Amino acid sequence: MTALTDRRASARRRSHIAGREGVAGWLFTAPMIVILGLFLVVPVGMALWVSFSDWTGRGSPFSGTVGFVGTDNYSELLNGGGLAERDFGISLRNNGWYVLLVVPLQTALSLFLAVLVNRAVLRGRGFFRTAFYFPSVTSSVAITVLWLFLFGATGAVNKVLSYLGVNGPNWFQDPSGIVHNFFGLFGVTQGPGFLTDNTALGVSLWDWLSGPSVAMSAFVLMAVFTTSGTFMLLFIAALQNLSGETQEAAMMDGANGWQRFFRVTLPQLKPTLFTVLTLGVIGTWQVFDQIYTGTQGGPGKTTVTPAYLSYTSAFNNQQWGQGSAIAFILFVIIVVLTLLQRFILRDKAVSKRRLRAYSLDTKGTGR
């Protein structure tokens, strides 16, 4: 009986201590919860309401003069058949090609730089790490202004191309798509009927396949130049945490350098690779300041992005509901692509056939 009473008293003491720790935890986290609520949750909730309303930007969005329009703002963007749908389709096409080019290029370049500067035989590794990372800490506005000078009609890039016998384009004034330009080299200037006659979001399928414009291609190069250094540091940290024993075991098994990298090193970098790809997708779909500083969406709307279109719809055209709707559609796109990456890069279970073969092999070798 005494032992039972002691256990009950001990349980009450533990419960009391846990309760006091819980209260202390809530007290410590309360300031951050209040800050996040005031500056994140409340604004997002207000923006969500605005996307379902006809608010014009005057007065409070919760005043009685603001009406609920349901999904009209979304419908006008997705199947309205007017200029809003076409502009939104153009922005998705521009940004889609931007993501398709920037994310693989910056990931591959950052991994290459990380492997390069992580080599013990490389002298001055600290200098090269700083040099490669430096563009990432420079203001994006300053980099954009520099890019405007470098890629101008008489800029340094065209000057270098002229030495090679190439007549460089007027980069930020050329709206032509690079894929269409490539087809033009073979005399193909018009797409087949099923591409030119069918549209998606007000844009013909042939125009969807035009590729990024020459102007957007310059922004692609700038994004790769400025972001690879940041992701390089993530890969360096991951490489330095890898065990050298697996590399030694692979060398003992006769694997060459390429086999060790693709069969041993790269699979161990999967968590970091997922982080880099996720951050890359989020950042590229949210590109805004470079467009705002550089081209304002020109030439011919070929550098308009959903983020910039959301800004112009709300602040320039006073269509706040439409601007908020664009922002939330963009949010859904980012979430879906992130979940898709997570599914593709998940750890796959070993099939029973391979597991059985591995078991027989280990038994045969006596391991």
Side-chain angles (χ1 to χ4, degrees), residues 49-50 52-68:
W49 158 250
V50 169
F52 291 105
S53 72
D54 58 358
W55 186 51
T56 60
R58 296 179 178 87
S60 171
F62 301 105
S63 65
T65 59
V66 178
F68 177 76

Side-chain angles (χ1 to χ4, degrees), residues 115-172:
V115 173
L116 183 66
V117 301
N118 195 54
R119 295 172 62 88
V121 296
L122 180 66
R123 295 183 179 181
R125 287 184 295 171
F127 168 77
F128 287 109
R129 290 177 185 178
T130 304
F132 294 147
Y133 181 65
F134 184 75
S136 300
V137 298
T138 306
S139 168
S140 60
V141 175
I143 293 291
T144 304
V145 173
L146 174 63
W147 229 247
L148 291 175
F149 282 107
L150 291 176
F151 285 83
T154 58
V157 173
N158 281 353
K159 194 69 174 178
V160 172
L161 291 176
S162 66
Y163 293 146
L164 302 176
V166 178
N167 186 18
N170 190 356
W171 292 85
F172 289 107

